Amino acid sequence: MDQISLLKGRMAEALVEGIFKRARYTVARVGRETQMPTLMRTGRAEFMPDFVVWRALDAPSLRHHSYRLLALEVKYRADLEDYLRRDSPSRSPEVAQQWPELYEIVVTDRPEGGRSCFQAIHGSSLLEGTTPVTIDLHLVPGLDIYRRTVEEYEGLVREIFPILGSRSKTGEQAGRLRTPEAWMPARSEGRGHRRHRPAGHPRGYRPSTPSEQRQGASE
């Protein structure tokens, strides 16, 4: 996997984590890059989702809650249709048996018209040998994730992900455009852009440091 796709994958995980936290879920990362798999290992190599999330279903009764526990596997894919035609470990019958409440959340910056950038697949509901059908995340029954919440995070996907993709293709050209040209006295003098040599530095000049401009962060 190239570095740009890896970066988008990490960003997709962070966005999905943010959506579920906004929906009042407690979110715990349990992917293979954490220490949690060691604690949950049962003696054989097993599938581990990216997140386990849970939320109370009712008001406390005698200091006890009823909870719904979900597992989330998050993927970024630009070509969603092609990805769904391929096999995925998170969609296997063995994984569905081990994680009956596993949702595969696919983040894409190229959804079909009218579809969300965040689409879900419920592993336990898949029929073996068929191509899975996704449902927009805010339409998944029982998750109680509002459409407005998803739309806020969709804005980030649509604005940021295409920029990363374009830089991966044109980064070298952009780098050449950003490279400053060397100062040549014969071309600079007499054209209104003469650079004066400061006292004590007879053989050259010291360019001024450009001020940093920072754009405001979107919430």
Side-chain angles (χ1 to χ4, degrees):
M1 180 180 293
D2 62 87
Q3 293 299 315
I4 295 297
S5 295
L6 181 61
L7 175 59
K8 289 183 177 181
R10 295 296 189 185
M11 294 177 65
E13 292 176 5
L15 293 174
V16 171
E17 180 179 3
I19 289 175
F20 276 84
K21 285 184 175 180
R22 285 279 299 275
R24 300 184 182 278
Y25 284 85
T26 300
V27 180
R29 178 178 289 274
V30 296
R32 294 187 179 275
E33 66 274 16
T34 71
Q35 298 299 319
M36 190 64 71
T38 303
L39 302 176
M40 301 177 66
R41 189 171 297 151
T42 60
R44 70 181 190 273
E46 296 180 342
F47 168 83
M48 293 299 299
D50 293 313
F51 301 99
V52 170
V53 304
W54 62 93
R55 185 177 65 175
L57 297 177
D58 53 17
S61 177
L62 297 179
R63 298 185 179 180
H64 292 285
H65 271 294
S66 295
Y67 291 90
R68 185 179 184 188
L69 180 69
L70 307 174
L72 306 180
E73 177 72 3
V74 181
K75 300 290 186 183
Y76 162 77
R77 291 295 182 270
D79 191 338
L80 180 57
E81 184 178 353
D82 177 70
Y83 172 67
L84 295 177
R85 289 196 298 263
R86 301 173 181 269
D87 292 333
S88 172
S90 58
R91 291 184 240 131
S92 68
E94 295 78 14
V95 170
Q97 184 177 6
Q98 181 185 359
W99 299 91
E101 286 290 350
L102 172 67
Y103 286 87
E104 185 176 358
I105 311 298
V106 187
V107 182
T108 180
D109 50 353
R110 302 175 184 175
E112 295 181 356
R115 295 297 306 275
S116 172
C117 294
F118 297 88
Q119 301 181 30
I121 303 169
H122 189 195
S124 297
S125 65
L126 297 178
L127 297 177
E128 190 173 359
T130 62
T131 301
V133 177
T134 64
I135 183 172
D136 291 349
L137 182 57
H138 63 278
L139 296 178
V140 177
L143 293 188
D144 293 331
I145 295 178
Y146 297 144
R147 179 177 180 179
R148 179 175 296 180
T149 299
V150 175
E151 288 177 344
E152 291 179 7
Y153 286 86
E154 277 187 336
L156 296 175
V157 173
R158 296 181 186 277
E159 291 179 10
I160 298 176
F161 281 43
I163 296 177
L164 295 176
S166 63
R167 286 183 178 178
S168 67
K169 297 177 182 179
T170 62
E172 183 178 352
Q173 296 179 355
R176 287 199 298 265
L177 293 174
R178 290 193 298 266
T179 302
E181 297 182 356
W183 175 64
M184 300 184 65
R187 295 183 179 181
S188 299
E189 293 178 2
R191 296 187 181 181
H193 299 283
R194 180 176 300 179
R195 303 188 181 188
H196 300 284
R197 297 176 181 174
H201 201 290
R203 299 187 59 81
Y205 68 97
R206 295 183 180 178
S208 59
T209 302
S211 59
E212 182 181 4
Q213 297 182 354
R214 302 181 60 184
Q215 298 179 354
S218 300
E219 298 182 354

